[in-house]
Amino acid sequence: MRRFARWLVRFAFALVVLGVAGLGVLAWLFWHYGQDLPDYRVLARYEPPTASRVYAGDGSLLAEYAREKRIFVPISAIPERVKQAFVAAEDRNFYHHFGLDPVGIVRAAIQNVGRLRSGRRPVGGSTITQQVAKNFLLSSEVSLERKIREAILALRIERAFTKERILELYLNEIYLGRRSYGVAMAALNYFDKSLDELTLGEIAFLAGLPKAPSLYDPEKNPEEAHARRDYVLQRMIEDGYITPEEAEAARAEPLVTRRDSTAVAAAPFFVEEVRRRLVERYGEKGFYEGGLTVRTTVDTTLQRFADHALREGLAAYDRRHGGWRGPLGRIDPGAPDVLVRLRAFDAGFELLDWRLALVSSVADDAAALLFPDGSTGVLPLRELAWARPRLDGGDLGPAPKRVSDVLEPGDVIVVAPVEGREGTFALRQRPEVEGAIVAMDPRTGRVLAMSGGFSFRQSWFNRATQAQRQPGSAFKPFVYLAALEHGYTPATIVLDAPIVLDQGPGLPPWKPENYSERFYGPSTLRLGLEKSRNLMTVRVALDIGMEPVIDVARRFGIGEGLQPLPSAALGSQEVTLLQLTTAYAMLANGGRRIRPVLVDRIQDRYGRTLEAADTRPCEGCRAEAWDGAPPPELPDLREQVADPRIVYQVVHMLEGVIENGTGEAARDLGRPLAGKTGTTNESRDAWFVGFAPDLVAGVWVGFDQPKSLGRRETGASVALPVWKAFMERALEGRPPRPFPTPPGVLLVRIDADTGLLPGPATRRVITEAFLPGTAPTTVSGAGSAPPDASGGTGAAAAAGLAADGLY
């Protein structure tokens, strides 16, 4: 008995010694590996890298930018069932342990004995807290040292943070496959749902992913995915989170995930412009990781109209001038895998409403087409009559007489459906010419649509904002506005006659010409703008001086780099399409300064507003519900950059451009519109910028490497059709609305030719806008000649405008 007692004492002593030694070793391990650990307190300030999302004005998603695709969701907004599922699957004792789960560690150790013997990777007994320590503060290295450091950090994290904060960090950081970081992004990527829209079965599936996201992807391994989901449901039953009946119903749910990426509206040039500006403002890290919510101004419907109008306009020009440049490629139509190869064929640019097709057979009058979906169509000879060959000298050859002159079986081409003829298609090709279109609200400057080229995929260069080109005659309204500010009226007579200017020693004289190469004699200022007379414009600029013209251009945002040279009156300085369209928008709104706005509001990941385009104070705008009272009135803080009466006179003359002048092709739209064509030397650039009272749009067409668009091609023939096609669809359904006449403007009926009051010999009467005291008082044909700009009378006085500095 004594021996047993002594043995028991020795055994107890040994246990104490071993315990003390073990505690000492444990203390040493904690001291040794606790040195130089990452500071866990940074988790209190941690904001995980979160995707920034860009939305259209109607709330549809335009783009998503992220280094890690994540949507941060605070723990208070995460549904209870989601939290329960992840806890049940990953750490059932999460709410009860101190950061480490001894039972889990022992269980993992027993499992790892067998796994190591079979050469498999050991499993961990990590708690959610340990996973937070590893994911945020350590690497994924598999080693005993890393596990010890992870355990130490887990203990410290548990002392510093609540369970809810730890779970919030975990659920927003965990990788769940398909480039999804965090449970909210996974819900979107797998099911296109927000967290509160998920079913129990979908929640269980997501909760089973952290262990092996790729293995449990139902598209790759449906059986493993279903088994893992069912395992999580069973754990939730065991932990008392759900009933067996709820689990049974969840198991019966089909596990259907979405294959496509998040659906987005298409406005690539617009979105890229926004991205560039925000990266410049917030930096790469702030934009790609900041979780910004960006609400833009783009109208997705108008953007579709703009894209379509620009594409069709460029393609129409190409059919007039480009010649057929050949098929995109070739595929043997008799090959057994012809459809597979056709589906895999890349046209190299966005097709939009065009279609890729294979020429399966050719007859004299038509070609048979095969499409990637297996359907067929017909391409008749008349729909490729434009496809003339380009000869060695650059000229176009004869028009095709047979389809075989252009196509042969095996050609891969693009075609467009012919409206009104089902199954009939027209030949198309990617045009070489480029262009851009911008549409905006003239009252606010909100950019509603922007397309910077034929194909964003082929070129990110935005010709609406980055291309500096000469506006040509599209600049003339601002010359005429300056003239009106210096005493001219729309009825002032200006001599349309030759001008020769001495440019200085060693330089040839400058001899501007009208586009028609003709001279028209004394004409009203209105007619000079309507018909885009170069000689009249230069003569007016010489009379008032270039400084007033430059002043007006600067007030309207297009005066940068403008030199006091007569040629500048004809638009020789360079501007972007967005700048020029904004200047016209200020004409449309009565002369109030606006700036182009692409972003309405930017919010951070917590919903706090960082920037807003409209910062006007509004007392009644935060009401929780409408009480039937009229809407609050907001102050108009826009600067008045020109007299609204004079601006209206210019607008009234620009209406004449569409009614009687170079823009008359748009007259059949049948509503009040105003605008101006622009064509530069040798037809290198073609412009049209015009507006209705509540919508302004600008179009530019040209080559990236400037060259002539072709003899007799102008803004009216190239750019105006694009503008007209866009405005026709954009304004469809809107009632016509006249341009508002500001107070202080007199509308007087005058003789359109003489600018005087109508008389017996008057051939055409128009209504003209005058300021008080400037309307004519003389009747046309009553013995007095029309007034000139300086108040004299007769053609001789008008011709005197050309006297100074000319020969």
Side-chain angles (χ1 to χ4, degrees), residues 618-753:
C618 179
E619 295 294 334
C621 290
R622 298 189 179 277
E624 295 183 2
W626 183 51
D627 59 3
E633 292 188 11
L634 296 176
D636 189 347
L637 304 179
R638 298 172 299 172
E639 178 189 357
Q640 191 76 48
V641 298
D643 187 329
R645 302 173 303 167
I646 294 177
V647 171
Y648 177 78
Q649 288 180 300
V650 174
V651 171
H652 197 48
M653 289 194 290
L654 290 175
E655 286 188 86
V657 172
I658 288 180
E659 288 299 318
N660 308 298
T662 57
E664 63 182 349
R667 183 172 57 194
D668 59 9
L669 292 180
R671 61 172 65 238
L673 297 168
K676 184 69 186 74
T677 53
T679 311
T680 59
N681 289 341
E682 299 180 13
S683 297
R684 290 191 178 97
D685 303 275
W687 301 77
F688 191 86
V689 188
F691 48 90
D694 54 1
L695 180 65
V696 59
V699 175
W700 168 85
V701 177
F703 291 96
D704 286 342
Q705 297 298 322
K707 65 178 182 179
S708 176
L709 289 163
R711 182 172 172 79
R712 314 310 294 178
E713 293 287 11
T714 65
S717 65
V718 181
L720 177 56
V722 177
W723 183 88
K724 179 184 176 183
F726 169 74
M727 294 294 278
E728 183 174 21
R729 299 185 69 183
L731 297 175
E732 186 177 4
R734 301 190 196 183
R737 191 163 69 87
F739 291 98
T741 306
V745 171
L746 304 177
L747 296 176
V748 179
R749 288 165 56 84
I750 66 170
D751 184 311
D753 297 322

Side-chain angles (χ1 to χ4, degrees), residues 3-51:
R3 285 179 73 181
F4 177 73
R6 284 198 300 272
W7 181 85
L8 192 61
V9 169
R10 290 172 181 169
F11 180 72
F13 179 75
L15 285 177
V16 170
V17 171
L18 287 174
V20 171
L23 288 174
V25 170
L26 190 63
W28 181 83
L29 287 173
F30 268 71
W31 174 83
H32 177 73
Y33 290 107
Q35 304 295 313
D36 301 323
L37 280 177
D39 185 0
Y40 64 91
R41 289 170 294 187
V42 300
L43 298 180
R45 305 183 302 274
Y46 183 73
E47 293 183 336
T50 304

Side-chain angles (χ1 to χ4, degrees), residues 334-612:
D337 62 343
V338 60
L339 283 178
V340 174
R341 294 168 65 185
L342 188 56
R343 292 188 191 109
F345 193 95
D346 183 9
F349 60 89
E350 304 90 333
L351 292 175
L352 299 184
D353 53 349
W354 293 359
R355 297 182 67 181
L356 192 72
L358 175 68
V359 178
S360 55
S361 64
V362 171
D364 285 347
D365 61 345
L369 304 176
L370 175 67
F371 295 103
D373 61 1
S375 62
T376 59
V378 175
L379 173 59
L381 175 62
R382 64 178 174 272
E383 298 298 345
L384 53 73
W386 61 269
R388 300 159 64 186
R390 184 166 289 282
L391 305 178
D392 291 340
D395 295 331
L396 295 180
K401 296 179 180 179
R402 296 175 297 275
V403 171
S404 57
D405 293 340
V406 180
L407 301 174
E408 59 183 63
D411 284 348
V412 179
I413 59 176
V414 288
V415 296
V418 176
E419 189 174 353
R421 298 209 298 271
E422 185 72 24
T424 302
F425 295 85
L427 181 64
R428 294 289 184 265
Q429 68 180 350
R430 196 262 193 250
E432 292 180 330
V433 71
E434 280 292 354
I437 182 170
V438 170
M440 66 167 55
D441 183 335
R443 297 160 299 191
T444 62
R446 298 176 74 248
V447 178
L448 304 174
M450 176 192 292
S451 186
F454 182 85
S455 169
F456 180 78
R457 181 181 169 193
Q458 290 184 329
S459 171
W460 290 14
F461 181 68
N462 190 336
R463 294 155 190 87
T465 61
Q466 295 174 295
Q468 297 271 349
R469 305 294 286 244
Q470 293 179 341
S473 297
F475 180 73
K476 288 177 181 174
F478 304 97
V479 178
Y480 284 66
L481 193 150
L484 293 170
E485 289 183 338
H486 283 72
Y488 280 66
T489 77
T492 296
I493 296 297
V494 179
L495 182 62
D496 188 338
I499 297 175
V500 181
L501 288 178
D502 184 2
Q503 299 189 90
L507 296 174
W510 182 51
K511 302 176 182 179
E513 294 181 335
N514 290 326
Y515 178 76
S516 65
E517 300 180 350
R518 296 173 56 194
F519 313 108
Y520 298 91
S523 305
T524 62
L525 194 72
R526 166 182 284 277
L527 193 66
L529 187 57
E530 289 179 348
K531 302 298 185 181
S532 199
R533 301 274 173 77
N534 291 339
L535 294 171
M536 291 178 64
T537 305
V538 172
R539 186 159 275 131
V540 167
L542 290 170
D543 180 57
I544 65 173
M546 282 302 298
E547 288 304 327
V549 175
I550 294 173
D551 176 56
V552 167
R554 286 175 177 164
R555 279 184 271 149
F556 280 79
I558 52 173
E560 185 177 352
L562 192 59
Q563 299 296 317
L565 302 173
S567 61
L570 301 181
S572 62
Q573 88 284 10
E574 293 182 336
V575 297
T576 68
L577 176 61
L578 182 60
Q579 289 171 335
L580 191 60
T581 305
T582 304
Y584 272 72
M586 286 190 267
L587 293 176
N589 71 24
R592 290 189 177 273
R593 187 185 304 282
I594 58 170
R595 58 183 180 84
V597 176
L598 278 72
V599 174
D600 276 332
R601 184 177 297 271
I602 302 174
Q603 294 171 293
D604 66 11
R605 69 180 70 208
Y606 301 107
R608 296 177 300 214
T609 297
L610 302 178
E611 293 183 42

